[in-house]
Amino acid sequence: MHGRPRRPAKPVDEEAASAKAAKLRDLQVQVLQNHHSRTYTKEAIGLSFKLLEINPEAYTAWNYRKLAFQHNVKELSDPEAIRSVVDDELRVVEVALRQNPKSYGAWYHRKWLLNQKLTPVDSKREFGLLDKLLKVDARNFHGWNYRRFLARFMGVPDEEELKYTMDKIGDNFSNYSAWHNRSILLSNLLIQQSKGFESKQKIFSEEFELVTQALFTDPSDQSGWFYHLWLLAQISTPDKPQLIASWPCNGAKLSSSFIKEKVDQNTLSSIWCHSLKERTVPIVLYFNEPVKGLNQSSVKLKSYLEFGKDIHWRALSMTDSGYSNCWTTYLQIANECSTSQQYSVEVSIPCSEDIVSRSGSNYDSPVHFTFTIELISDSQDIDLFDKPVAWNCSESLQSYGNCEPIPFDLLKITSALIEEESNWHFERLSEQIDLFRELPDDNSKFVKLTLARLLLACAAMKSCGRSLIERKRYCDEALGHLSDLIHLDPSHKQYYEDERSSVLMDKLTCDMETFMKHCSVQVQPNSVPLNHVQLHGLSLTCVGFAERLMWVQVLDLSHNSVRSVEGLEALQQLVSLNISNNQISSFTALEPLTKIMFLKVLDLSFNEIGAHPIDTTRYICSSPFSHKIEACEAFEQCQKKNINVEEYWDAILFFKSLKLKQLDIEGNAIASKENFRTLVMELIPSLKWFNGECVN
């Protein structure tokens, strides 16, 4: 870890190892028997000690000792007797730690004992134990974790612990755990505005100077580079969450249909919204960092429209943490209209203690925006999918007549850039860039990666006017470093490729002039105008800056190297998506698409789905044998059609959530497997076109 090579394993005495294993098995059997029979005699507890002395990772033995301790201590009333029992248990932990200083079970057992609060804690003994262990291995993160616990438990000020980290870093710049603990302590002190920690400029200037000394002392050591990355994050991101984009955007006018004459005359003033055909409007809010706590109180809606259901905000996230950058709600419109009518919808997000970031910061950047919904009573009912959608990547993008995509400047609500003290932040970043350019080791991956991150942080602060030229210059230099890293450090190639893709997306979408080369309004015969973005053949491996694409209705990502579509869940307007000829290897990599309610056309052709006999990404998503009712129903539905659920469980979980009209999946290994077509037909009854053929 962190640049330290593993030590070669010592030669094993087979006979001694065999005897030790036999003794271990015998002890395990006896301890389990005592555990099941709830035998807590002195002899039985002694057997558990012998087992832990040999194998401190025997978790059942630790749990048994907890139960035995609780059972026996209830019978004691003499404080000295209780102290004796606690001391005996602490000594057992110390014996186990001599055997394995990184035993999870041993460290947890010691915390558990102290939390019982049966006797006063001997702080000298506890900190003395830590000093001995950290002298043996100064980077033992278990020991550092216990030290944080102990400091909180004993009420030791963070300032004192910060001095301790400085002592350890002074002893050895390579002490990753000390750097990590320092970042935790500094975060706490700055949030609390403790005495001497009121000025972030002063503190971070000193910390940059400290870590720079470490990096120039030994540029090949990872510890300082990780701390530098943490410092960079502190000065290049806002302190509190901000809303950076929304859909609908401020001033947008959505229509449930269109008037053909207006399309022909190029006088469209509204955006056709497919979801309005189902009397639904998605509202999407995108924050600069993951937040939680969006509800009817923290996000206020005002309109004369009647909403059929209670407004419920949900996180568009692939995890169940409750935090997400992107949140959505679906307005169910209940109004009946006999004539064409327009309704304004006002969205307000005041300062709120409900909306909280992962770091615990509250939202305090009030935002208000308004959009209009046009309901047309006698609108022409258009079937978008009467014919299959054809993708032609060779055609240059041209908008229909004079129709232009949505004005780019309407997409931004606020900027996630640091405004207060921004000059200081930019100057500090520029100093760091100049400094690392002077490092003699031009082929150090740490130098190149840090330079790339510094350059991108500077680019993020250059967002308008002449600054865009500087922004692109920073991005270009960062792209050069990332390209070098792909060759210098092939074991992390995919990470660097994803970082490069994110920078490419930033360059493409950061200003209107550049982005509009990839955008158009397309109108198919007898159809409606759709906002189209073409990003094919750009060597993208992932999709970044999705908040700038939330207005897109047709997206072409074909002929790239995309491995994951994470981020596209924010595109709730998306109707058609082409991700053919990419490197999608499983249906779990497509999970974000299940959150796009109105996706109708999906081209997955010529990817790698089903091509890998062992595909570990399949097991990232939740187990197919979960107790979710809808999952069970889909499995039962497929079993009735003699479909192998164990083989296709991820495909079932994916397709059951879609309401597609057109699907293309030829050129994937899975498409030729038995019963796959039957599975698709069974789970997507709305499908009209499959691999270019009409489905009855």
Side-chain angles (χ1 to χ4, degrees):
M1 287 293 289
H2 315 302
R4 292 282 185 87
R6 288 183 180 274
R7 294 177 181 176
K10 296 179 181 178
V12 177
D13 184 335
E14 295 292 341
E15 187 176 341
S18 179
K20 182 180 178 181
K23 182 181 179 182
L24 192 61
R25 284 193 295 270
D26 183 52
L27 284 168
Q28 285 174 331
V29 169
Q30 294 180 71
V31 170
L32 282 172
Q33 286 176 346
N34 291 331
H35 185 35
H36 292 151
S37 64
R38 299 182 182 180
T39 303
Y40 302 132
T41 63
K42 187 175 181 180
E43 293 74 17
I45 295 171
L47 287 172
S48 68
F49 168 68
K50 289 180 180 179
L51 174 58
L52 291 168
E53 192 177 21
I54 300 171
N55 178 21
E57 301 307 312
Y59 294 108
T60 301
W62 288 116
N63 290 334
Y64 167 77
R65 291 192 71 90
K66 287 181 180 69
L67 293 171
F69 178 87
Q70 289 175 326
H71 177 270
N72 293 333
V73 84
K74 281 192 298 186
E75 300 175 358
L76 300 175
S77 57
D78 179 25
E80 286 303 318
I82 294 173
R83 179 187 290 277
S84 177
V85 173
V86 171
D87 286 346
D88 287 345
E89 206 65 23
L90 289 171
R91 276 192 289 271
V92 171
V93 174
E94 289 164 20
V95 170
L97 289 174
R98 278 198 290 269
Q99 174 69 15
N100 179 9
K102 296 183 179 181
S103 168
Y104 285 90
W107 285 111
Y108 181 79
H109 195 71
R110 199 170 188 91
K111 288 182 185 177
W112 178 84
L113 276 171
L114 266 60
N115 276 322
Q116 300 310 298
K117 299 181 180 178
L118 295 172
T119 61
V121 176
D122 185 347
S123 60
K124 186 176 180 181
R125 173 182 180 174
E126 295 302 311
F127 282 111
L129 172 67
L130 282 171
D131 286 340
K132 289 177 182 177
L133 287 167
L134 292 176
K135 280 180 182 176
V136 175
D137 181 2
R139 307 195 303 178
N140 183 341
F141 70 90
H142 297 271
W144 282 95
N145 186 34
Y146 184 73
R147 187 178 182 95
R148 283 191 291 275
F149 159 79
L150 192 60
R152 286 194 303 272
F153 192 86
M154 302 298 297
V156 178
D158 285 344
E159 292 87 342
E160 286 188 27
E161 286 298 289
L162 192 67
K163 291 176 184 175
Y164 181 79
T165 64
M166 190 65 253
D167 291 340
K168 288 298 177 184
I169 291 168
D171 292 340
N172 181 6
F173 274 142
S174 185
N175 193 331
Y176 177 86
S177 295
W179 287 111
H180 174 247
N181 204 39
R182 190 170 184 83
S183 68
I184 293 173
L185 293 165
L186 272 177
S187 296
N188 294 338
L189 289 165
L190 289 168
I191 289 171
Q192 295 162 8
Q193 291 280 291
S194 300
K195 186 177 180 181
F197 295 86
E198 299 89 355
S199 170
K200 285 190 175 183
Q201 288 190 20
K202 176 178 177 292
I203 296 300
F204 287 139
S205 294
E206 292 171 353
E207 293 302 305
F208 269 116
E209 187 176 342
L210 171 64
V211 75
T212 300
Q213 291 178 20
L215 296 178
F216 275 75
T217 301
D218 185 3
S220 64
D221 183 75
Q222 295 183 34
S223 304
W225 292 106
F226 279 112
Y227 188 69
H228 188 277
L229 174 61
W230 176 78
L231 284 175
L232 174 58
Q234 305 314 299
I235 69 166
S236 59
T237 55
D239 293 335
K240 295 192 175 183
Q242 297 179 9
L243 184 72
I244 56 174
S246 78
W247 181 259
C249 57
N250 188 38
K253 182 178 178 182
L254 311 183
S255 176
S256 61
S257 188
F258 76 105
I259 299 172
K260 189 176 186 302
E261 289 73 19
K262 287 191 175 183
V263 176
D264 293 337
Q265 296 167 15
N266 308 321
T267 58
L268 277 173
S269 60
S270 59
I271 302 163
W272 178 79
C273 185
H274 183 271
S275 63
L276 274 172
K277 291 183 69 176
E278 301 179 28
R279 314 288 286 181
T280 302
V281 176
I283 299 180
V284 187
L285 302 177
Y286 204 101
F287 295 83
N288 65 313
E289 61 178 311
V291 297
K292 69 175 182 179
L294 272 74
N295 52 49
Q296 285 183 281
S297 299
S298 57
V299 182
K300 302 182 185 300
L301 300 181
K302 182 180 178 181
S303 176
Y304 287 111
L305 276 170
E306 297 174 13
F307 303 132
K309 295 182 179 179
D310 288 338
I311 295 169
H312 172 68
W313 288 93
R314 66 187 182 109
L316 293 178
S317 171
M318 298 304 106
T319 67
D320 295 325
S321 67
Y323 291 90
S324 179
N325 289 76
C326 190
W327 288 77
T328 188
T329 189
Y330 300 99
L331 302 183
Q332 303 288 337
I333 299 173
N335 297 61
E336 296 293 338
C337 58
S338 55
T339 59
S340 300
Q341 295 184 30
Q342 293 186 10
Y343 298 89
S344 86
V345 180
E346 297 181 24
V347 182
S348 299
I349 311 177
C351 295
S352 173
E353 292 184 0
D354 289 344
I355 302 176
V356 184
S357 69
R358 278 206 181 104
S359 63
S361 300
N362 295 114
Y363 180 83
D364 65 355
S365 303
V367 166
H368 178 92
F369 64 94
T370 304
F371 62 92
T372 304
I373 296 175
E374 183 181 30
L375 299 178
I376 302 176
S377 59
D378 57 348
S379 61
Q380 185 178 353
D381 190 17
I382 294 296
D383 184 0
L384 284 179
F385 314 103
D386 183 47
K387 295 180 180 179
V389 174
W391 302 90
N392 191 340
C393 300
S394 60
E395 291 184 0
S396 59
L397 279 182
Q398 292 183 344
S399 289
Y400 181 85
N402 295 322
C403 293
E404 292 294 337
I406 184 169
F408 187 82
D409 56 348
L410 289 181
L411 296 176
K412 276 190 176 179
I413 289 180
T414 184
S415 172
L417 308 178
I418 298 173
E419 296 181 5
E420 294 181 11
E421 307 170 339
S422 58
N423 289 336
W424 177 85
H425 288 94
F426 186 77
E427 289 170 6
R428 176 58 61 185
L429 291 171
S430 299
E431 287 174 10
Q432 291 289 301
I433 290 171
D434 293 339
L435 198 61
F436 288 119
R437 280 173 175 159
E438 296 175 6
L439 271 173
D441 190 356
D442 294 333
N443 288 323
S444 167
K445 65 179 182 180
F446 304 117
V447 175
K448 287 186 176 293
L449 182 57
T450 302
L451 271 172
R453 286 167 171 161
L454 287 164
L455 289 161
L456 294 175
C458 282
M461 294 184 181
K462 301 290 182 179
S463 59
C464 59
R466 292 181 60 187
S467 294
L468 282 173
I469 299 172
E470 289 184 74
R471 181 188 183 113
K472 290 182 178 179
R473 179 169 57 82
Y474 286 126
C475 286
D476 286 337
E477 187 177 346
L479 285 171
H481 289 304
L482 291 169
S483 296
D484 291 344
L485 284 163
I486 290 170
H487 298 99
L488 273 174
D489 187 16
S491 61
H492 298 101
K493 177 183 176 183
Q494 290 191 359
Y495 169 76
Y496 300 130
E497 287 177 341
D498 287 349
E499 289 290 296
R500 184 176 63 180
S501 286
S502 182
V503 180
L504 285 171
M505 284 295 294
D506 186 20
K507 277 188 66 181
L508 286 173
T509 61
C510 70
D511 75 290
M512 188 173 183
E513 183 180 353
T514 303
F515 195 20
M516 287 302 109
K517 295 175 184 177
H518 299 269
C519 304
S520 68
V521 175
Q522 299 288 309
V523 183
Q524 300 295 331
N526 297 319
S527 187
V528 294
L530 296 173
N531 289 318
H532 189 291
V533 170
Q534 196 175 82
L535 299 174
H536 67 270
L538 299 175
S539 301
L540 300 174
T541 59
C542 63
V543 184
F545 295 92
E547 70 273 17
R548 300 175 186 172
L549 303 173
M550 293 197 299
W551 52 278
V552 176
Q553 295 165 311
V554 180
L555 179 60
D556 184 354
L557 286 167
S558 63
H559 298 276
N560 282 292
S561 301
V562 173
R563 295 183 285 261
S564 167
V565 295
E566 188 170 358
L568 292 186
E569 64 275 8
L571 280 60
Q572 292 294 310
Q573 279 283 98
L574 197 63
V575 176
S576 300
L577 174 63
N578 182 2
I579 44 176
S580 63
N581 294 278
N582 276 283
Q583 295 178 12
I584 303 293
S585 62
S586 69
F587 287 110
T588 53
L590 298 167
E591 185 185 356
L593 302 185
T594 64
K595 298 182 181 293
I596 305 176
M597 184 177 285
F598 301 101
L599 182 66
K600 300 300 178 184
V601 177
L602 179 59
D603 191 342
L604 296 172
S605 55
F606 301 100
N607 275 277
E608 301 171 7
I609 302 172
H612 305 283
I614 301 176
D615 183 7
T616 55
T617 60
R618 297 180 79 216
Y619 303 99
I620 294 173
C621 75
S622 57
S623 167
F625 304 109
S626 65
H627 296 290
K628 294 180 180 178
I629 295 173
E630 63 273 17
C632 295
E633 288 177 350
F635 294 138
E636 290 172 5
Q637 186 180 350
C638 291
Q639 284 171 334
K640 289 176 182 177
K641 295 289 183 178
N642 296 318
I643 295 169
N644 188 335
V645 171
E646 290 184 5
E647 181 180 5
Y648 290 121
W649 64 264
D650 52 351
I652 294 169
L653 290 172
F654 176 66
F655 286 122
K656 78 175 180 62
S657 305
L658 301 177
K659 298 177 182 178
L660 299 175
K661 296 289 186 179
Q662 177 179 328
L663 174 65
D664 294 280
I665 199 167
E666 63 180 342
N668 289 275
I670 198 168
S672 59
K673 289 188 176 181
E674 183 182 4
N675 285 334
F676 180 74
R677 181 187 174 93
T678 305
L679 180 151
V680 173
M681 297 299 115
E682 186 67 23
L683 293 177
I684 316 179
S686 59
L687 205 62
K688 292 183 68 173
W689 303 95
F690 183 65
N691 289 337
E693 297 179 357
C694 184
V695 177
N696 291 327

